[in-house]
Amino acid sequence: MEDVLLAVALAWARRGVPVLPLHAPEPGGGCDCGRPGCERPGKHPWLRRGLTDASTDPRRVELWWARWPRANVGLRTGVAMDVADVDSPEGLAALRHLLGGDLPRAPLARTGSGGWHVWFAPTGHGNRVRLLPGVDWRGAGGYVVAPPSRHASGRAYTWVVAPGAARPAAVPGALAELLAGPEPPPRGRPVEVAHPRRYARAALEAEAERVAWAVPGTRNDTLNRAAFALGRLVGAGLLDEATARAELARAARRSGLGRAETRRTIRSGLTAGRRTGWSRAA
Ligand SMILES: [Zn+2]
């Protein structure tokens, strides 16, 4: 495994992708940085200056992995690729929706936490948190953990579509527009979104899909959480309440939930979400 990590790091360096060694999760839990309660186990750089020191020099890469043979492989983004960092099925649905229904033929990794990394051609934009619900953007000044690095969960990052099989995808217009828009506000500030209707629409579709596919035993809870999430958007004036209610009801019927229960759950979820507002819970 350790030789593989070095070999992978070297291969990326030779392809012109700056590499940086990252701490690795300990097999029994925790991070090999040794800090109790490390918040980013297996994800933060060994290098003091972090990303600034990322390198394409094979000799430096060899020295690093000679020193830290178990180091996870970090790849700097914004040079050869930008990466859509998707952390949930909801995020994947939102990204697919934005891309017109499907993922591009491009390098695609499964992350150790069960998310996805979709590789795009570099855009020149920097990192963006919550570009879409469940989707962060890693661009200039960012990095991603690459296969076959280990995640704190014990699982490895793996390729679904290997970089040898596809090139980073061209960034379609809708995605480019979203990236060119202003940053979303930090938590606790009033909401201003570049494309509020598109954002809300993607969230609505993702939540409805989640509800429609919920398995018995989780259906009412899933519906309640979806109604709550959409209620926040309704409260922020980004989504029409009647539309949210109708779509959720349709999805709930598809999942097999009864009418009375559906109506009750949607009403209470939407109301609670509206009261909470959007800025607090994102
Ligand atoms: Zn650590």
Side-chain angles (χ1 to χ4, degrees):
M1 180 63 190
E2 293 171 2
D3 292 347
V4 175
L5 291 165
L6 169 62
V8 166
L10 276 175
W12 283 119
R14 293 204 174 99
R15 286 171 76 167
V17 180
V19 169
L20 66 166
L22 306 176
H23 282 280
E26 295 282 20
C31 179
D32 69 4
C33 68
R35 273 198 299 276
C38 168
E39 283 181 0
R40 305 192 65 220
K43 287 187 171 187
H44 61 107
W46 274 103
L47 308 169
R48 200 162 38 85
R49 293 193 301 159
L51 197 57
T52 318
D53 284 336
S55 176
T56 55
D57 178 355
R59 282 164 306 177
R60 294 191 70 182
V61 171
E62 280 186 6
L63 285 174
W64 287 335
W65 265 268
R67 188 165 170 198
W68 306 300
R70 295 176 58 238
N72 272 344
V73 179
L75 300 180
R76 184 170 182 156
T77 50
V79 180
M81 77 299 189
D82 283 4
V83 173
D85 183 1
V86 181
D87 72 4
S88 62
E90 179 192 24
L92 196 65
L95 181 63
R96 291 169 88 140
H97 175 71
L98 185 71
L99 298 175
D102 223 335
L103 291 180
R105 177 80 190 154
L108 174 67
R110 209 67 221 271
T111 71
S113 60
W116 294 264
H117 285 167
V118 189
W119 284 30
F120 288 91
T123 60
H125 292 294
N127 294 333
R128 283 282 286 273
V129 175
R130 278 180 288 124
L131 181 69
L132 290 165
V135 181
D136 293 347
W137 190 259
R138 310 285 170 209
Y143 68 93
V144 288
V145 185
S149 300
R150 288 266 155 206
H151 185 264
S153 66
R155 283 190 296 270
Y157 291 71
T158 56
W159 289 112
V160 179
V161 178
R167 300 174 64 82
V171 173
L175 179 54
E177 240 179 86
L178 195 60
L179 283 163
E183 296 265 353
R187 289 173 195 212
R189 294 257 196 89
V191 170
E192 284 173 55
V193 176
H195 302 281
R197 259 165 301 173
R198 184 177 304 154
Y199 182 99
R201 186 73 216 170
L204 175 59
E205 300 217 345
E207 294 293 353
E209 191 165 341
R210 232 218 277 262
V211 168
W213 293 100
V215 296
T218 67
R219 290 182 304 201
N220 195 50
D221 187 45
T222 303
L223 177 61
N224 184 43
R225 271 183 290 144
F228 180 81
L230 296 179
R232 286 161 55 207
L233 295 174
V234 170
L238 298 178
L239 189 63
D240 172 56
E241 175 155 6
T243 308
R245 196 183 289 275
E247 296 263 329
L248 284 176
R250 199 172 10 248
R253 264 202 304 284
R254 264 180 64 192
S255 81
L257 267 183
R259 237 169 235 279
E261 190 178 16
T262 295
R263 220 177 9 244
R264 217 169 29 240
T265 303
I266 292 177
R267 189 173 50 230
S268 73
L270 281 176
T271 304
R274 222 172 33 222
R275 286 196 188 126
T276 303
W278 190 27
S279 51
R280 254 194 283 166

